[in-house]
Each structure stands twice: as structure tokens, then as C-alpha cells.
């Protein structure tokens, strides 16, 4: 079977960022939101705001509003 190679630092950095979002931050933010820990959810999702779906942006806005109240 063939090998897959990501060449260059730019691609490695992009892959690393995508991995962090998909595997680390989003699941942690989802869990925090479900548990009602809105400050943690807002902090985690706020770090990746530009990569969030429209529904995730709404959840982030809700969490941020709850933290301010």
C-alpha cells in the first residue's frame, strides 16, 4: 500500500492545527458545554472561533452570554 506524505512545514502546521481542533479542542468544548461549564466551553471554542460551524458559533455566543451574566 502507498504511503501518504505531507511535505513542508506549512502543510505540517496546517495539519497540526486541524488535528488540534478536531481531536482535542472541539470534544473538550462540547463536554464542557454539556456539563454547563460555559466559561471553559467559551474559552476553548473562542480559541478556534474561525473554524467553527454556524451552529457551533451560536453555542459559543450562548456560552459567552452565560459567562457574562
Amino acid at each position: 500500500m502507498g504511503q501518504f506524505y505531507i511535505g513542508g512545514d506549512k502543510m505540517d502546521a496546517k495539519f497540526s492545527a486541524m488535528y488540534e481542533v478536531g481531536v482535542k479542542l472541539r470534544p473538550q468544548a462540547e463536554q464542557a458545554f454539556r456539563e454547563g461549564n460555559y466559561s471553559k466551553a467559551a474559552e476553548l471554542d473562542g480559541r478556534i472561533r474561525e473554524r467553527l460551524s454556524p451552529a457551533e458559533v451560536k453555542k459559543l455566543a450562548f456560552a459567552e452570554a452565560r459567562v457574562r451574566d
Side-chain angles (χ1 to χ4, degrees):
M1 189 166 286
Q3 292 181 334
F4 181 74
Y5 174 75
I6 298 176
D9 291 337
K10 192 174 200 176
M11 287 299 288
D12 290 341
K14 184 176 180 180
F15 178 79
S16 178
M18 289 177 8
Y19 176 83
E20 182 177 15
V21 169
V23 177
K24 293 182 179 179
L25 296 181
R26 279 302 305 140
Q28 290 176 11
E30 281 293 323
Q31 182 177 356
F33 191 89
R34 281 192 306 274
E35 293 173 352
N37 188 347
Y38 299 116
S39 62
K40 183 175 181 179
E43 187 272 325
L44 292 169
D45 273 346
R47 291 170 47 190
I48 55 171
R49 182 184 301 265
E50 68 280 352
R51 292 187 177 93
L52 297 176
S53 71
E56 292 165 342
V57 170
K58 288 181 181 181
K59 287 175 78 173
L60 172 58
F62 178 86
E64 288 173 334
R66 294 294 294 233
V67 170
R68 284 192 298 265
D69 291 341

